[in-house]
């Protein structure tokens, strides 16, 4: 079974630009969550999608948005990039067959650098 | 305020030795607590998941404990190996009525195992 895949793996953008990151969950998984990881703040929850609906959202500005498609693939968009958006963006999927106890499987992440 | 605190921030031990990592949380209402291992440059990998009623969970050489009364958890690693060198992250899920709950992350403990 293929794991969670994220594309691209590395990305360099300049301030003011926008970026779209993609996540393909494990086949059969309907829940996809996004996280931002920085050395200063650690891992922070961005949002969670389940069956194309956003079910939960962290404390991030509206410049961060996402969506989930009918095949469970998810995209995350960041508009008007700021230097502080430089981070590792992680996607995780889970099957949620056991509710909130399900294991989350993380992808390798997308390393975003904003210059 | 919902928070997850981990200690120590970093730890160096010799191969073959045991160690214990600590996690204290103030997240409420509590749903479950997870420990993740994150190797450098990779996404986190789930080690254990514990709910309110579980006070011990093992995964090979990793044993997690949970005291829901004092809101403390520990991760004990026995007979450490060089491959245990990683960041160990404690994650607490708050029962928010959504699919995964609201996740709160600790900053992690950076473990280094020396030969």
């Amino acid at each position: 079974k293929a794991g969670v895949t994220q594309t691209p793996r590395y990305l360099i953008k300049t301030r003011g630009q926008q970026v779209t990151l993609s996540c393909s969950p494990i086949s059969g998984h309907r829940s996809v969550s996004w996280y931002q990881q920085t050395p200063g703040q650690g891992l922070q929850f961005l949002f969670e999608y389940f069956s194309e609906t956003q079910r939960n959202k962290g404390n991030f500005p509206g410049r961060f948005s996402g969506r989930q498609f009918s095949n469970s693939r998810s995209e995350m968009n960041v508009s008007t990039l700021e230097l502080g958006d430089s981070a590792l963006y992680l996607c995780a999927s889970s099957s949620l067959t056991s509710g909130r106890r399900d294991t989350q499987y993380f992808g390798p992440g997308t390393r975003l650098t904003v210059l | 305020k919902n928070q997850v605190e981990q200690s120590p921030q970093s730890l160096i031990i010799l191969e073959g030795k045991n160690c214990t990592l600590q996690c204290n949380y103030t997240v409420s209402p509590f749903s479950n607590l997870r420990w993740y291992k994150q190797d450098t440059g990779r996404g986190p990998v789930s080690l254990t998941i514990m709910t309110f009623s579980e006070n011990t969970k093992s995964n090979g050489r990793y044993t997690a404990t949970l005291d829901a009364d004092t809101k403390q958890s520990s991760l004990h690693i026995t007979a450490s190996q060089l491959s245990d060198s990683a960041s160990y992250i404690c994650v607490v899920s708050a029962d928010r009525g959504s699919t995964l709950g609201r996740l709160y992350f600790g900053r992690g403990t950076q473990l280094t195992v020396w030969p």
Side-chain angles (χ1 to χ4, degrees):
Chain A
K1 209 176 201 182
V4 178
T5 58
Q6 292 186 246
T7 56
R9 291 293 312 278
Y10 302 92
L11 203 51
I12 298 175
K13 292 284 188 179
T14 56
R15 279 182 300 175
Q17 287 187 307
Q18 76 164 29
V19 66
T20 299
L21 312 182
S22 181
C23 171
S24 293
I26 291 173
S27 178
H29 285 192
R30 294 162 62 193
S31 171
V32 174
S33 300
W34 288 89
Y35 303 88
Q36 181 195 66
Q37 187 174 35
T38 60
Q41 297 294 324
L43 265 168
Q44 291 184 286
F45 171 72
L46 280 158
F47 23 66
E48 177 210 351
Y49 286 89
F50 182 81
S51 294
E52 302 179 66
T53 302
Q54 188 180 91
R55 295 298 185 95
N56 215 344
K57 191 176 189 303
N59 294 324
F60 278 82
R63 300 185 297 108
F64 292 82
S65 63
R67 59 177 175 169
Q68 187 180 32
F69 302 95
S70 57
N71 61 358
S72 294
R73 191 178 69 84
S74 178
E75 286 183 348
M76 191 193 100
N77 185 275
V78 187
S79 62
T80 319
L81 283 167
E82 301 176 0
L83 295 179
D85 296 333
S86 295
L88 179 67
Y89 289 88
L90 291 161
C91 164
S93 78
S94 64
S95 62
L96 287 181
T97 53
S98 301
R100 301 188 190 115
R101 293 195 59 203
D102 273 337
T103 297
Q104 280 191 303
Y105 297 88
F106 282 83
T110 293
R111 173 73 62 185
L112 171 65
T113 302
V114 181
L115 302 176
Chain B
K1 185 180 178 182
N2 290 316
Q3 284 186 312
V4 178
E5 302 284 345
Q6 290 188 245
S7 62
Q9 188 174 7
S10 61
L11 183 62
I12 300 174
I13 62 173
L14 293 178
E15 187 178 14
K17 298 296 185 182
N18 303 334
C19 67
T20 300
L21 315 180
Q22 299 290 342
C23 173
N24 297 335
Y25 62 92
T26 58
V27 177
S28 180
F30 174 84
S31 177
N32 60 66
L33 184 145
R34 306 162 185 246
W35 282 95
Y36 287 91
K37 176 188 177 188
Q38 185 174 22
D39 293 312
T40 301
R42 298 191 166 206
V45 174
S46 179
L47 294 175
T48 63
I49 302 173
M50 289 185 291
T51 60
F52 185 89
S53 59
E54 298 171 301
N55 52 28
T56 303
K57 184 73 72 77
S58 290
N59 179 358
R61 294 180 297 102
Y62 301 101
T63 299
T65 64
L66 173 65
D67 186 333
D69 291 331
T70 61
K71 299 188 176 181
Q72 296 179 326
S73 176
S74 65
L75 180 69
H76 187 74
I77 305 174
T78 59
S80 61
Q81 300 176 358
L82 298 179
S83 59
D84 292 332
S85 294
S87 178
Y88 291 83
I89 303 169
C90 174
V91 183
V92 181
S93 173
D95 189 343
R96 291 288 298 272
S98 62
T99 46
L100 271 177
R102 179 73 176 269
L103 299 180
Y104 296 88
F105 294 84
R107 295 284 185 95
T109 292
Q110 184 64 47
L111 174 67
T112 303
V113 180
W114 282 2

